[in-house]
Amino acid sequence: MRRLFAFALACSIAAAAWGQTVSLRGHVGADTRIYLRGAAFDGQERAPFSLLAEPRLRAVSADRRKEFLFIPYLRESAGTTERGGGDIRDLYGAHHGDGWSALVGVSRVFWGAAESLHMIDIVNQSDLAEDYRGHFKLGQPMAMLTLTHPYGQFELLALPGFRERRFAPARSRPRLALPVLADAAYPDGKGADWAARVTFSHDRVDAHLYHFAGLSREPDFLPVFDGEGRLSALRPSYRRIRQTGLDLTYALDALILKGEFLDRRGYSRGFTAGVAGAEYVFGAGASGADRSLFVEHLFDQRPADAPPALFRRGWFVGGRLAANDADSSEIRGGVVFDTDSGARTIRVEASRRIRDDWQLHLEYNGFAGVGGSASLASFADDSYLRILIRRNF
Amino acid sequence: MKRTTIGAICLAFAAQLHAVSPAAPAPLSAEARGLQIAQETDRRDAGFENSVADATMVLANRQGDESIRSFRMMTLEQSDDGDKTVAVFDQPADLAGSAVLTHSHALSADDQWLYLPAVRRVKRISSRNKAASFMGSEFAFEDLSAWEVRKYSYRYLREEAFDGADCFVVENTPAYEDSGYSKQIEWVDRTIYQPRKLEYYDRQGRLLKTMVFKGYRQYLGRHWRPAEQIMENHQTGRVTRVIWDAYRFKTDLTPYDFTPDAIARAR
């Protein structure tokens, strides 16, 4: 990792020397978590404290055609090096032509439309050490060609250099009940992955359709037994899959309909999964605030030999209130109910800016009734409040 | 076909004196005259194709505390529909790189998307936020959206000088839904056919805000743009100033730069 950072830094200096416009932006911050109950497992952290940094160095040529971007992510935790440790989120060179664009390097892309779960987002691997829902992503090596049109675009991605999922370390909370081994299994072999995606965007409709062939970003787990025949650990196993994903957004005045669906092959049978729902926007009241309500339905019909799903069938209900004030004060949150297991996960986030350059972010993650859920049962005691303060530059 | 930028925001009008010559058989109604001024404003600014300008917004509260917002505004002229705009933010630092794309429409709701660089996500947002504050400033989203003749109905009121310029005074009533205003009163410079002052009345009919335009300059021998716009909210005492810099017209921007996917690549 250290050597990679050194290489990236050398690239950055070269790019800075070549670029006509060079900018260094980003943030540094500190965060802590407060757990509302005692730990379920021995040796788990009590009040973790971390320093983090995500600088962004960008160089753009005078004609704005060539671009270089470097975003490292650094996290240093007090007393342990287990959570995070850092990643290269982006390190790429790109050329933007007339009606086309090419990018080579490490980058991140987001595919999907739903609010509650990002089920079809597949290019980048999840960093579960940052967040149990998997919304934080690791940088993915790629070569991406984009052909654009005013009504949409076509993207072709070659994805060498598979990234394994980063799990919450043993000391951290919440985590799986059993330790996850570092040496993963590849029963179908490795090899480069690829994906192609088309976009259509016009008037009230945004739609994306993609096909992905390669290693599943979600691993299933092989049981590992100790000398006495007891289940002692889990070995991640990444299968080769083919996945077709579709997302749709339709704006109907105050209502925005959103849905994302996938069809995945590669396990004992093919299956579909999806999230579909709506955002209702109340419009600005006398105070100028923005208020929205979200309702989404989730379903996942995967077979037993596929990686465990966070939810099988359920509902998400949530809301957002943005004050539109000078401090960008905002609160948003919601609950996902799994109607199969009775599990409920609650998330409420609030943030505001302080004196232009600082930002305070509070986040509550709650787990209730998770005992019956295969993937959430070990989180039962891990409801927590996260406090993050950031200095943006 | 129109002005963009916040300037665009601002409506325009101007009556045509010469159009209504003394020999004209019947004088125009106040509505027809107001519309004529708007159409002339539109006609005179047509043909810029696209433009780019840098904006610095200074937000001041009653105590005089200031904070800064800065963004680059790109506009694509559309002859058969509302203009398309992209605003790419630079300040405050936490919003650097985020962008808002708007496809404005004369009669139907605007289409709008937001790009969030931290998660690489382009999200469609509801155009029902028209009356919401733009980044905590005294500008509402509707004050910044591209001006279209058909977005308002017009009524010519009188002639009056403002800030040393002879102006037509016109009342504009929003024809689109979800506006925060019952009406606007606009002072249109009859020489350059651009707004000098704009008063905004809230839904209850009370004076809410006043915007004043300063430092007009002509570009490419045709297009007038202000160097500064000052918006004062009479109900809160807060003031937002926008300073425009580095106007460029007929740049190499194309329709490809005004799509939801493209705003994720805006540099």
Side-chain angles (χ1 to χ4, degrees), chain A residues 22 51 69 84 95 114 118 136 149 151 157 165 179-180 206 214-215 240 298 331 346 353 355 372 374:
Chain A
V22 180
L51 295 174
L69 183 70
H95 184 92
H118 301 162
F136 282 83
H149 181 272
Y151 286 171
L157 293 87
R165 180 157 289 200
V180 179
D206 301 304
L215 289 166
R240 291 202 78 82
L298 305 80
I331 182 161
I346 302 111
R353 190 179 303 121
R355 305 176 64 91

Side-chain angles (χ1 to χ4, degrees), chain A residues 25 64 90 96 108 110 113-115 148 150 153 199 201 203-204 206 253-254 281 324 326 353 356 359 392, chain B residues 67 69 72 90 92-94 96 111 113 119-121 123-124 126 128 132-133 136 256 259-261 265 267:
Chain A
R25 308 298 293 266
R64 295 185 169 272
D90 294 273
H96 306 281
R108 289 168 292 166
F110 175 82
E115 296 291 330
T148 59
Q153 66 178 20
T199 299
S201 235
D203 281 346
R204 292 159 173 252
D206 301 304
D253 193 24
V281 181
N324 281 318
R353 190 179 303 121
D356 286 350
Q359 233 178 349
N392 300 296
Chain B
S67 58
R69 309 277 180 268
R72 189 170 77 245
D90 190 51
D94 57 285
D111 293 303
W113 296 264
V119 286
R120 297 293 155 90
R121 183 172 184 183
K123 265 181 100 155
R124 186 179 274 267
S126 169
R128 255 200 142 186
S133 158
Y256 301 109
T259 68
D261 299 302
R265 291 187 292 267
R267 276 103 43 218

